[in-house]
């Protein structure tokens, strides 16, 4: 059970890019173990900020709005066609052209 926090920290280093970049940036100067502690400290500050602001974690390198549009655009268009809104828009565009 002792190694569980270490495993979670290493998982974060491997899969969460901001923390991995932070670790790589500090590893040369601080050494491996101290850079791990620096990452843990950064994670705790991030978690505290999330709890105080009551906001979920948002990776600064990801455009969440573009991801939502990419995932849902086909469904949105399909529903617009199903309910007849898309044809009305196409007719109005053809009439104005």
């Amino acid at each position: 059970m002792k190694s569980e926090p270490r495993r979670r920290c290493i998982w974060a280093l491997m899969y969460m890019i901001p923390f991995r970049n932070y670790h790589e940036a500090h590893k040369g100067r601080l050494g491996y173990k101290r850079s791990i502690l620096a990452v843990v400290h950064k994670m705790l500050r991030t978690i505290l900020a999330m709890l105080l602001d009551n906001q979920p974690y948002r990776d600064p390198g990801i455009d969440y709005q573009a991801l939502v549009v990419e995932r849902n655009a086909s469904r949105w268009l399909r529903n617009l066609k199903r309910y007849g809104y898309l044809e009305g828009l196409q007719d109005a565009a053809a009439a104005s052209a």
Side-chain angles (χ1 to χ4, degrees), residues 2 11 15 21 32 37 52 55-56 58 68:
K2 255 185 175 180
W11 178 86
Y15 296 105
N21 291 342
Y32 181 78
L37 289 176
L52 290 176
Q55 295 289 324
R58 299 192 57 90
V68 168

Side-chain angles (χ1 to χ4, degrees), residues 19-59:
F19 296 119
R20 180 175 32 181
N21 291 342
Y22 191 80
H23 169 69
E24 290 298 325
H26 288 80
K27 189 168 60 172
R29 185 169 49 94
L30 298 176
Y32 181 78
K33 288 183 179 181
R34 284 192 178 180
S35 68
I36 293 287
L37 289 176
V39 169
V40 170
H41 186 250
K42 183 172 180 68
M43 291 172 126
L44 289 173
R45 288 182 307 186
T46 303
I47 291 168
L48 179 64
M50 289 170 28
L51 291 174
L52 290 176
D53 297 339
N54 198 20
Q55 295 289 324
Y57 177 73
R58 299 192 57 90
D59 189 343

Side-chain angles (χ1 to χ4, degrees), residues 73-83 86:
S74 62
R75 181 174 49 85
W76 292 338
L77 289 172
R78 187 174 57 245
N79 284 338
L80 285 172
K81 285 180 188 177
R82 179 186 305 157
Y83 296 112
L86 197 57

